[in-house]
Each structure stands twice: as structure tokens, then as C-alpha cells.
Amino acid sequence: MLFASDLDQTLIYSHKTFISKEIDEQIRPVERLDDRFISYMTQNALNALKEIAQKALFVPVTTRTKLQYQRINFLSYGITHQYAVTSNGGTIFSEGVEDSDWSRLVIEGRDKCLAAQDLIKKFEEISHSSWVLKDSGKMADELFYYCLIDREKIPVTELAAFKLWARENNWELSIQGRKLYLVPLNVNKKAAILYIKEKEGISCVVAAGDSLLDLDMLKAADLGLAPAHGELYSLHIQGKSGLEKIKFTQKSGIEAAEEILESIPWSLANQIVV
């Protein structure tokens, strides 16, 4: 079995997402930035993830850049993994080394997408300092664009129209927390996981994630798991179609990670899925 999981707001959480003092006492740091810890998991979740990593092929899958991913520390809790997918699927690491074959395929796929500079130029027509933090826009690993926003001041109609236009030009728009992402469709988590699945000859995939950028990966898996928060849950409670295969947790926040990890059906590992 291959267990592919998003990190932020799926497995790991910032302190503001904790729910109770009881949970606060159980948290353990998994990310440090400068002189402070910024991301956490509960001890129960770490224990469950360690067991999964020993039984299955655990693959962290994140929209974080290569540099941002390197801040995550699972190893100190005895959690090891052969592969990691960063940059929303744009980069695959195997034993800490970038997979050059995959990187070549990603570069070749750019021809099907509108050039980044043209997309950003179009976005700047609706971007305004009232809702986009000045000078926050950046290209991540030369693969996709993101910026910091004020969600409450988003021009909803204009952004919805831009999102449709971007999709027509093979780019996906996703909002996660205070970040807005613009990602070319060829840079995606699903494709990266299917590449690893084929390379390793694995028949069964369980995937977890909370955002629109995780959706295709979850739908392609034999079992897709999502927390009761985030973009996908918002679509779920609105009754949007296309989420029928996804199993949502009962709990939200940092406790959702425990529920996701403890609900993996090991019986799937013995099934051959065509």
C-alpha cells in the first residue's frame, strides 16, 4: 500500500488550529522556523504515522517549496520515508535526491499551459492592495505562483471569472488560509503519486488532503480521506458534486489528523485494484 498525504492542515497544524487545552498538552513540534516551533502533531498521530510508515510506503505530498519542506522533522520521531513530493507535485525526492526523469516530464508538460508571465499579468488586472499583500507574489521553485491575501476582502465575482479563465488556460486557482495559489495543471500531486505507484509496482493507494490542489489525487486513490475543514470540506457541505469517493472525518483541526491515520483500512493492502 502507498499512503500519500498532504501535510499542512491535513497531518501537521499551526498552534492556532488547536481546539482544547487537553489537545495542547499532547502536541509535539514537527517544524521549526528560525528560533520557534511553528507546526505540530499530536503524539497519537505521530505514533499512528510511524506504524503506517513501517507497514506501507508513506509519501508526504505538499505544495510547499523544496526549501520549506526541509523544515519538517519526522525523523526525530522515528518516521522515515523513501519518497517525498514537493512543489505541488513538481518535484519528487527519492532517498533525498531529486528524480531527474520526473523533473524532465514536468518541464515538457509546460507547453500545454499558458506562460506564467502571461497568467500573472492577467491576474494583476484584478489584484489590488486592498486584498493582496503588497510584494507578496512569488514564483515557487519556478513552477507555480502564490501570494498572501485578505480573504474577507476578495472581489468574489472578479476572482471567480479569473478562475474560470485560468482553468481554460490550464492553470488551477486554490486558496488555502491566507495564500492564493496559481498552479499549472501539469504540476499536480496526482500525477506525481501515480508515477511513484507505477515505479514501485504498487496496486493500492490511500490518499489524504484538505484542499482543491489535493482533489485529483484523492479521486484517483482507492480511498481518499479529508479532514472536516478546508476547501474540500467547504465544497462538501455545499453539496458540490465530484466528492462522492472522499471520506471526511468527524473531527476537525489537529484531531482530524489522528482520525485520518487511524482509519486506514489495512485490508485494502491485500487487494489488487485494477
Side-chain angles (χ1 to χ4, degrees):
M1 178 189 290
L2 189 160
F3 175 56
S5 182
D6 174 53
L7 294 179
D8 295 276
Q9 302 300 111
T10 300
L11 286 188
I12 70 175
Y13 293 80
S14 62
H15 200 280
K16 65 182 179 181
T17 56
F18 301 162
I19 295 174
S20 65
K21 289 184 178 181
E22 180 182 353
I23 291 298
D24 199 51
E25 294 172 356
Q26 298 177 28
I27 64 169
R28 304 291 182 268
V30 294
E31 178 183 12
R32 187 183 185 97
L33 177 61
D34 299 327
D35 61 347
R36 62 192 179 96
F37 294 115
I38 61 172
S39 295
Y40 306 82
M41 294 175 67
T42 66
Q43 186 62 57
N44 288 341
L46 285 165
N47 293 342
L49 183 59
K50 182 177 180 179
E51 181 180 3
I52 290 168
Q54 291 171 343
K55 293 181 178 180
L57 183 65
F58 166 51
V59 182
V61 188
T62 180
T63 305
R64 286 172 174 246
T65 64
K66 293 180 282 188
L67 184 61
Q68 291 168 339
Y69 170 72
Q70 291 172 4
R71 300 197 301 249
I72 305 299
N73 180 17
F74 288 136
L75 188 59
S76 64
Y77 298 99
I79 299 169
T80 59
H81 48 86
Q82 177 181 348
Y83 291 98
V85 176
T86 70
S87 314
N88 202 62
T91 303
I92 295 176
F93 287 98
S94 176
E95 302 291 358
V97 178
E98 290 188 39
D99 186 313
S100 58
D101 290 337
W102 177 250
S103 297
R104 175 178 50 79
L105 292 172
V106 169
I107 292 173
E108 291 174 353
R110 289 179 179 174
D111 294 339
K112 299 178 182 179
C113 305
L114 181 70
Q117 60 267 30
D118 294 330
L119 182 96
I120 295 170
K121 183 178 179 180
K122 183 72 172 179
F123 176 66
E124 288 175 347
E125 293 179 8
I126 63 169
S127 174
H128 188 270
S129 59
S130 63
W131 67 282
V132 177
L133 187 65
K134 186 178 179 181
D135 298 328
S136 66
K138 297 178 181 178
M139 286 295 295
D141 292 340
E142 300 301 317
L143 292 168
F144 62 89
Y145 176 86
Y146 72 94
C147 61
L148 298 177
I149 62 171
D150 184 336
R151 295 183 64 141
E152 296 182 357
K153 297 180 180 179
I154 289 174
V156 177
T157 302
E158 291 87 345
L159 190 62
F162 172 78
K163 181 175 181 177
L164 290 174
W165 178 86
R167 185 78 185 195
E168 291 171 356
N169 288 278
N170 294 320
W171 285 74
E172 184 70 85
L173 184 152
S174 175
I175 296 176
Q176 302 176 43
R178 295 181 59 240
K179 288 184 179 179
L180 181 149
Y181 293 91
L182 293 170
V183 184
L185 293 185
N186 75 301
V187 178
N188 66 85
K189 298 178 179 182
K190 170 188 171 182
I193 288 303
L194 292 181
Y195 174 86
I196 296 172
K197 175 187 177 184
E198 180 178 0
K199 188 173 183 178
E200 292 295 321
I202 294 174
S203 60
C204 178
V205 175
V206 174
D210 72 299
S211 80
L212 191 61
L213 295 176
D214 298 310
L215 180 56
D216 286 344
M217 177 179 72
L218 269 59
K219 291 168 67 174
D222 299 289
L223 175 63
L225 302 169
H229 59 251
E231 275 186 314
L232 296 185
Y233 186 67
S234 178
L235 294 175
H236 172 62
I237 61 178
Q238 293 174 41
K240 300 292 185 180
S241 61
L243 305 174
E244 294 78 14
K245 284 186 62 177
I246 299 174
K247 179 181 178 182
F248 289 88
T249 63
Q250 295 297 312
K251 296 179 180 179
S252 61
I254 198 168
E255 292 177 289
E258 292 184 8
E259 189 174 341
I260 286 171
L261 295 169
E262 292 170 357
S263 65
I264 293 177
W266 289 106
S267 58
L268 278 177
N270 299 319
Q271 298 179 13
I272 299 177
V273 181
V274 179

